Amino acid sequence: MTLKPVFMAADSGDEGDAGVAVQTRTRTKRPPLYKVMLLNDDYTPMEFVVHILERFFGMTHAESFEIMLTVHKKGVAVVGVFSHEIAETKVTQVMDFARRHQHPLQCTMEKE
């Protein structure tokens, strides 16, 4: 939180009084968060999805396997919630890595 001094003109006719300093508080809003999601397809191997989750999202093998099964069964799973810049970077990393390995895996983000 930042305190900003606000100077107000004196209401009285005193020439020696230049103004009164009043401190106000400015509230900063938290940046919006974005969900990063993996979408199921019929071609990307399950092991590749597990590898993506471990490599780019820092999950353990057990966590990655569980989320991979959620993606497989439900068609989509949230794999993390991040600020806009980080979410965008994660999506780009996953999509680039999948393309380099010739997999059609889709990764998207949406505002929480």
Side-chain angles (χ1 to χ4, degrees):
M1 224 179 287
T2 309
L3 296 178
K4 292 183 182 177
V6 177
F7 294 98
M8 302 171 70
D11 289 341
S12 66
D14 295 339
E15 291 178 23
D17 205 6
V20 178
V22 178
Q23 288 189 348
T24 60
R25 291 181 183 240
T26 304
R27 292 199 174 243
T28 55
K29 289 170 58 175
R30 289 193 177 269
L33 296 176
Y34 292 79
K35 299 184 286 191
V36 174
M37 299 169 294
L38 285 182
L39 307 174
N40 189 40
D41 63 71
D42 294 332
Y43 303 101
T44 304
M46 292 178 175
E47 298 82 21
F48 186 78
V49 175
V50 169
H51 180 69
I52 289 278
L53 294 168
E54 291 172 351
R55 180 172 178 157
F56 296 109
F57 297 94
M59 296 181 187
T60 65
H61 187 75
E63 291 169 329
S64 299
F65 191 81
E66 192 173 319
I67 289 180
M68 176 275 298
L69 285 178
T70 302
V71 172
H72 181 69
K73 293 176 183 176
K74 294 187 177 182
V76 65
V78 174
V79 296
V81 179
F82 308 96
S83 67
H84 185 268
E85 292 79 15
I86 293 173
E88 197 170 54
T89 299
K90 298 279 186 191
V91 168
T92 301
Q93 289 174 328
V94 169
M95 295 294 289
D96 288 348
F97 192 74
R99 296 301 160 264
R100 279 198 312 269
H101 290 84
Q102 300 178 344
H103 295 298
L105 182 67
Q106 294 293 305
C107 184
T108 62
M109 62 186 259
E110 70 179 38
K111 200 170 189 177
E112 192 171 49

